[in-house]
Amino acid sequence: MNARLATGAAAVLLIALLTACGPGGSGSDGQGTSPSPSATSTTDATAEPSPSPSPTPTTAPITLPTDCRAILSGDVLAQLDGVPLNDAAFGPSGVGDDETLTCIWADPAADTTRLVTTISLMNRGPALDMLNSLVADEGFTCFTPDDGTRCEKTWQNTEYPVIDGRTLFWRDDVLIDSQYSNLAPEGYTSSIIAHLFD
């Protein structure tokens, strides 16, 4: 019962965190309240016209990357040195028809060592549903670094003595989703985030 309550609390916390990340939560108070209507009367001809409100700035859409190496820092690339990228043995990779970038770092000769990342567009609603499901159903942990939401989990591989895991990061309608087995370069996701958003 305690585990169920903890999972429910984690899901509620994730909803609150994602709600705070949206356009409504970008103000200083994070409540997203709209301004009250002007109190000036339209029948008073002597009153000076009130200034028109300036448009609320919106975040420019992020252009999805097209190069798996260009999104990584030199340090991360050095950790991946010698690991083949997008080998045809693993199927489609690179830029897809929907502009999603798929990067597959893996050697076809290796039994389990691999790192697969997809960078795609995902609206807030579906992202919220997916991340909440990972927390509630699969025990992921989520937090809010770099103005986005990051969820992650690691586990023991069932066949080999290695660690598997998955890390997701969502911000501004962009989802970075990495699944890995025995290959988790330090700073990998942070390097992609810096390339896309900084």
Side-chain angles (χ1 to χ4, degrees):
M1 184 68 175
N2 287 339
R4 188 174 294 168
L5 289 174
T7 300
V12 170
L13 176 61
L14 178 59
I15 291 170
L17 293 175
L18 283 173
T19 303
C21 295
S26 60
S28 59
D29 63 2
Q31 296 176 358
T33 56
S34 58
S36 58
S38 172
T40 59
S41 170
T42 56
T43 58
D44 186 358
T46 60
E48 293 182 19
S50 59
S52 60
S54 58
T56 302
T58 57
T59 304
I62 301 295
T63 301
L64 294 181
T66 59
D67 187 325
C68 295
R69 293 183 186 277
I71 59 177
L72 301 175
S73 67
D75 179 57
V76 173
L77 287 171
Q79 295 174 65
L80 290 168
D81 187 40
V83 180
L85 172 62
N86 294 341
D87 191 288
F90 297 108
S93 58
V95 180
D97 293 339
D98 61 353
E99 299 182 2
T100 294
L101 178 64
T102 301
C103 304
I104 304 172
W105 297 90
D107 187 336
D111 290 331
T112 185
T113 301
R114 72 184 178 285
L115 168 60
V116 180
T117 297
T118 57
I119 303 174
S120 60
L121 296 174
M122 181 176 283
N123 291 331
R124 179 184 185 80
L128 177 67
D129 291 343
M130 182 188 67
L131 296 176
N132 275 320
S133 177
L134 290 174
V135 170
D137 301 335
E138 299 185 34
F140 276 68
T141 300
C142 296
F143 51 106
T144 55
D146 303 306
D147 299 319
T149 300
R150 180 169 174 156
C151 298
E152 54 190 32
K153 180 182 176 181
T154 60
W155 57 89
Q156 180 68 47
N157 185 290
T158 57
E159 294 184 52
Y160 302 96
V162 299
I163 298 297
D164 293 352
R166 185 176 181 191
T167 299
L168 304 97
F169 180 84
W170 182 87
R171 173 178 162 185
D172 298 339
D173 293 341
V174 175
L175 178 69
I176 304 165
D177 186 351
S178 296
Q179 299 184 55
Y180 57 90
S181 178
N182 196 39
L183 183 61
E186 185 175 348
Y188 180 83
T189 300
S190 296
S191 179
I192 299 173
I193 292 167
H195 176 81
L196 291 179
F197 300 105
D198 291 347

